[in-house]
Amino acid sequence: MLGRTLNLRAEQLGPGAVRTGGNLCFALFVLGVLVFTLIAATYQPDDPLLHPSSSHLTSFLTSTSNATFSSDESVLRTGEDFLNVSSSSDSSVSLLESDSAFIHLSDVPNTTNTATVTAADSAAAATESAAAADSTAAPDCDSTAPIDCSDPEIFHLMMRFAIESFPDIHFYRFGKPVPAPAAPSGDGAAAFAACDMAWRFRPRDAKRATFYKDYRRFDLVRNPANCSVSVAKIGDFHSGVNARKKRRSKGGASPTGDFAPKKVEKVVVAPVEVVPVVGEAVNDALPAVESEAKFSSGRYLIYSGGGDRCKSMNHYLWSFLCALGEAQYLNRTLVMDLTICLSSLYTGTGQDAEGKDFRFYFDFEHLRDSASVIDRRQFWTDWGKWEKKNGLTLHFVNDFKVTPMKLADVKDTLIMRSFGDVEPDNYWYRVCEGETESVIQRPWHLIWKSRRLMEIVSAIASKMNWDFDSVHIVRGEKVKNTELWPNLDRDTSPDALLTTLRDKIEDGRTLYIATNEPDTSFFDPLKDKYTSRFLDDFKDLWNENSEWYSETKELNNGSPVEFDGYMRVEVDTEVFLRGKKQLETFNDLTRDCKDGVNTCPASS
């Protein structure tokens, strides 16, 4: 009897173990589903800029420095920021550091019938010339002969004067002088003239591979005693409007009459194709469709919907570059929406602002000339005209998990990616995650900052003769939160600043102060030691009489464009970054951490 019982238990042991194991596995499965559901419901995606595919981009965008501008989301880094002069492998960019790449004073002939007057003497040049009218002129000297701006010797005089007047910049090319409205002749018999001349330059201590262009008016006077010509005065930044030229076509030679360094004459024009040139006329008109046949034979990619709108500019750009990268991978034209919703982060009203134009913030001319893009409104207009007539077809994709690799063989005219309403799965950049991350390379080099905004930066720096130091001072709401920033208010007070700056900035220097402190008079005590300048000191560069105002108004169909919070931060930051010495709040002025107590990286 006992043996039969033991045998029965042994027979039942196997099925019981199976049932128990099955129940246990099912319980684990249910638990896993619950955990996954909980994670999905509470998931908050990290800042996409912290997970780029390029290691170089990673180190650039995720710096652990406590520097104010190193990881500030309000400051957008674009393609030209990656053109590091010292590390660039591009030969044309590397030339920027070479002594032979820019024009030295010794490269310019010192002619005999002109008298070069230094900047310190220029104010007195006209007076001296008039006084010389009473002296006896040389027998063969015609003191009333007109001054010809096209005379090579006048060209050399103006170049030498410019080089001596601006020792803190390097000149890379001078344009041929052109006549301008003549200066008043006064009571003397000496000849007067005005000539406009343009030049391309870089700051002497520049760390970024960017060229700038300036054009100024030179007032010239002829000395009645010996007929020599001197420069009486040089005008302000961009005063020589007659010398401003339209941007030359790609691949062209140096314009006739331009003066460039002899040793690199054939190569100095190359950087125009690889680095920004701030100051050239901007032509960011929308690309036109050449013909019905051209449109119908094209292949296009469009992203529709999604949750990226009205997000931070960093978020917008990260998603946009994903779309642009996929379009390039698929060898298709990206159909892009040029309208931008500006996040409330950058508006004075605290509300999102629709109807902004991509061209207000980025260099569309560079993007248009370097990649295949078309405006969305133009595309749909042409699609409506020719879709049925030419049998144009559409391939619809409504799941970001469908990788670009799976779309490589699609032959349809248009691939449309549609994104739903549930965040974060409706963010465009999700397309470039996972296995796609190693395939799609975001084309950062195609996105540059607006040259109109960078022109304001150049103008501000030029008004300070590119010879200034800069300090960024964070106050605003942070000084009110003493729990997170217990020392910030005290460390950024005028008395504390004077003490801190004493050993860092020489007395008498021009000091550009980038700050979010609304009342700049707060910093008035610094004026005793420094020539302090603020962004609003230069508001004439974007007011209703400015070039920026008129050009953006034209882009905006005749409606004025606000110089909004994002533009202010962009310009303020870029000017700060051009200071010879740069001091940042959370690196140099205070012991507090940028993101609050106990958040400083160990290396700072």
Side-chain angles (χ1 to χ4, degrees), residues 237-260:
F237 180 77
H238 280 192
S239 56
V241 293
N242 288 3
R244 186 180 187 184
K245 299 177 182 178
K246 293 183 179 180
R247 190 177 184 184
R248 61 189 180 85
S249 59
K250 287 186 177 182
S254 176
T256 304
D258 280 14
F259 186 93

Side-chain angles (χ1 to χ4, degrees), residues 308-447:
D308 304 274
R309 202 158 185 84
C310 302
K311 294 294 191 295
S312 72
M313 199 66 85
N314 281 330
H315 182 125
Y316 165 78
L317 192 63
W318 189 245
S319 286
F320 174 75
L321 283 173
C322 174
L324 188 58
E326 182 181 22
Q328 292 194 317
Y329 173 80
L330 297 175
N331 196 24
R332 288 175 174 265
T333 297
L334 180 66
V335 182
M336 63 176 291
D337 185 359
L338 266 73
T339 64
I340 289 180
C341 174
L342 188 67
S343 168
S344 58
L345 293 170
Y346 316 113
T347 62
T349 62
Q351 302 293 320
D352 296 333
E354 286 280 5
K356 300 290 185 176
D357 195 302
F358 180 92
R359 294 169 290 182
F360 296 165
Y361 308 99
F362 304 103
D363 187 346
F364 181 70
E365 180 178 5
H366 172 65
L367 174 62
R368 180 199 65 200
D369 293 346
S370 306
S372 183
V373 295
I374 185 173
D375 175 51
R376 178 174 299 203
R377 287 172 296 183
Q378 178 66 49
F379 174 81
W380 286 126
T381 298
D382 294 335
W383 180 270
K385 290 189 296 185
W386 299 321
E387 175 195 5
K388 293 182 179 179
K389 178 181 177 182
N390 296 316
L392 307 183
T393 56
L394 167 66
H395 184 88
F396 190 78
V397 181
N398 62 359
D399 188 349
F400 73 87
K401 296 178 182 177
V402 177
T403 67
M405 295 78 83
K406 294 180 180 178
L407 300 176
D409 295 327
V410 173
K411 305 299 182 184
D412 295 273
T413 307
L414 173 64
I415 294 177
M416 174 184 284
R417 281 193 179 273
S418 180
F419 296 82
D421 300 323
V422 180
E423 299 186 17
D425 285 348
N426 64 350
Y427 291 162
W428 291 5
Y429 67 74
R430 299 301 301 274
V431 173
C432 296
E433 293 181 338
E435 61 179 309
T436 306
E437 188 175 12
S438 60
V439 178
I440 299 299
Q441 300 298 319
R442 284 178 172 84
W444 288 96
H445 62 285
L446 299 180
I447 301 296

Side-chain angles (χ1 to χ4, degrees), residues 244-305:
R244 186 180 187 184
K245 299 177 182 178
K246 293 183 179 180
R247 190 177 184 184
R248 61 189 180 85
S249 59
K250 287 186 177 182
S254 176
T256 304
D258 280 14
F259 186 93
K262 294 181 180 179
K263 296 180 181 179
V264 290
E265 186 174 10
K266 294 183 179 180
V267 239
V268 77
V269 297
V272 175
E273 304 302 319
V274 295
V275 300
V277 181
V278 175
E280 298 278 11
V282 179
N283 176 19
D284 50 10
L286 300 180
V289 176
E290 296 180 11
S291 64
E292 176 183 345
K294 186 75 172 178
F295 178 87
S296 300
S297 64
R299 294 293 179 267
Y300 306 92
L301 172 69
I302 188 170
Y303 279 31
S304 177

Side-chain angles (χ1 to χ4, degrees), residues 432-504:
C432 296
E433 293 181 338
E435 61 179 309
T436 306
E437 188 175 12
S438 60
V439 178
I440 299 299
Q441 300 298 319
R442 284 178 172 84
W444 288 96
H445 62 285
L446 299 180
I447 301 296
W448 290 351
K449 297 178 183 68
S450 162
R451 283 191 287 127
R452 291 187 178 91
L453 290 179
M454 296 307 294
E455 177 76 354
I456 294 177
V457 173
S458 176
I460 292 174
S462 292
K463 288 176 181 289
M464 295 187 288
N465 292 320
W466 294 90
D467 183 20
F468 63 95
D469 299 316
S470 56
V471 58
H472 179 249
I473 303 176
V474 172
R475 288 185 57 82
E477 293 299 318
K478 288 189 176 182
V479 298
K480 300 176 184 178
N481 190 336
T482 56
E483 291 186 6
L484 291 179
W485 296 279
N487 305 297
L488 184 59
D489 189 19
R490 181 183 65 252
D491 291 342
T492 56
S493 66
D495 290 341
L497 289 171
L498 285 170
T499 301
T500 303
L501 297 179
R502 181 175 55 201
D503 299 326
K504 300 177 183 293

Side-chain angles (χ1 to χ4, degrees), residues 532-568:
S532 55
R533 307 301 299 272
F534 300 88
L535 178 63
D536 280 338
D537 293 342
F538 306 96
K539 61 176 59 177
D540 60 299
L541 296 172
W542 61 83
N543 67 17
E544 60 184 13
N545 297 318
S546 68
E547 187 175 282
W548 177 88
Y549 183 90
S550 60
E551 290 189 5
T552 54
K553 182 179 179 181
E554 183 179 353
L555 278 181
N556 205 33
N557 298 318
S559 298
V561 175
E562 175 195 7
F563 193 72
D564 59 48
Y566 181 79
M567 297 174 184
R568 292 182 63 88

